Amino acid sequence: DLSQSQVLLTPVTVVLDKESYDAAVQRLDVFARLGFRAEDFGAGTLLVREAPLLLEQADVTALVEEIAAGIAQHKRELTPAVLDDLFHSVACRGAIKAGQKNALPELAEIIRLLEQDSTLRNCPHGRPISIALTRYEVEKLFGRV
C-alpha cells in the first residue's frame, strides 16, 4: 500500500543529474502520490523525509533516481500509463523476492491478506503469485498415476 509512508530517521539526500532534478522539483506531487515526501534541497539534490512503508531504506535513493528519470523522460505527458509504471516500480522494490527469508508472522499476514482480497493474484509485473493444482496434477508430478 503506497499510501502508508514512514518518516525516515535520517532524511536521505539524493543527487540527480540536471534534467532529472529540474523535472523532479517541478513534480514533487508525483513523489507524494508514490508515498515519498521529498523537497528541494538545492544544488541538484532532493531531500527525502518519508518513503513508502514497504521499502527498505537502501532502496530509497535508487528508486527516487528512477522516478525522477521517469518524470524527466515523460515530463510533457505524465499519462496514467506512465504513472502506473512508476507505481509498479515502487511496488516491485518493496515486494518479497525469491529466496528471501521471512518470519512466520509476516508470511501468515500475507496469506491473510490474500484470503481477504481476491484481486491480489499477480505481482506488479502481472505474473501470478500463486497457482492451484488438482490432486491429480500433484500425483502426476510424483509419478503416482
Side-chain angles (χ1 to χ4, degrees):
D1 183 0
L2 298 179
S3 64
Q4 294 183 353
S5 293
Q6 61 184 335
V7 175
L8 302 174
L9 289 175
T10 305
V12 175
T13 55
V14 182
V15 179
L16 301 167
D17 63 64
K18 181 171 178 18
E19 185 181 4
S20 293
Y21 170 75
D22 290 343
V25 168
Q26 291 174 10
R27 295 305 309 262
L28 291 175
D29 62 304
V30 173
F31 285 92
R33 289 174 64 187
L34 295 168
F36 293 91
R37 187 165 63 98
E39 57 193 61
D40 183 0
F41 198 60
T45 304
L46 290 183
L47 184 69
V48 181
R49 294 191 183 275
E50 293 181 21
L53 188 59
L54 52 79
L55 281 183
E56 297 287 330
Q57 187 159 348
D59 286 335
V60 171
T61 299
L63 192 50
V64 167
E65 290 170 347
E66 184 179 328
I67 293 166
I71 292 170
Q73 182 180 1
H74 302 284
K75 62 185 164 192
R76 286 181 177 43
E77 291 186 46
L78 277 176
T79 63
V82 170
L83 291 172
D84 197 43
D85 284 344
L86 294 175
F87 279 110
H88 284 151
S89 292
V90 174
C92 185
R93 295 281 178 137
I96 293 174
K97 307 291 190 275
Q100 181 176 330
K101 302 291 183 208
N102 301 97
L104 287 177
E106 181 181 15
L107 295 173
E109 177 65 9
I110 291 169
I111 291 170
R112 187 188 68 75
L113 291 171
L114 289 172
E115 288 173 342
Q116 283 183 345
D117 188 346
S118 63
T119 65
L120 299 174
R121 295 295 173 243
N122 300 309
C123 77
H125 300 101
R127 293 186 290 265
I129 58 171
S130 66
I131 58 170
L133 296 173
T134 65
R135 181 181 178 120
Y136 175 80
E137 290 168 320
V138 173
E139 289 176 347
K140 188 175 176 184
L141 288 170
F142 286 94
R144 301 284 182 198
V145 288

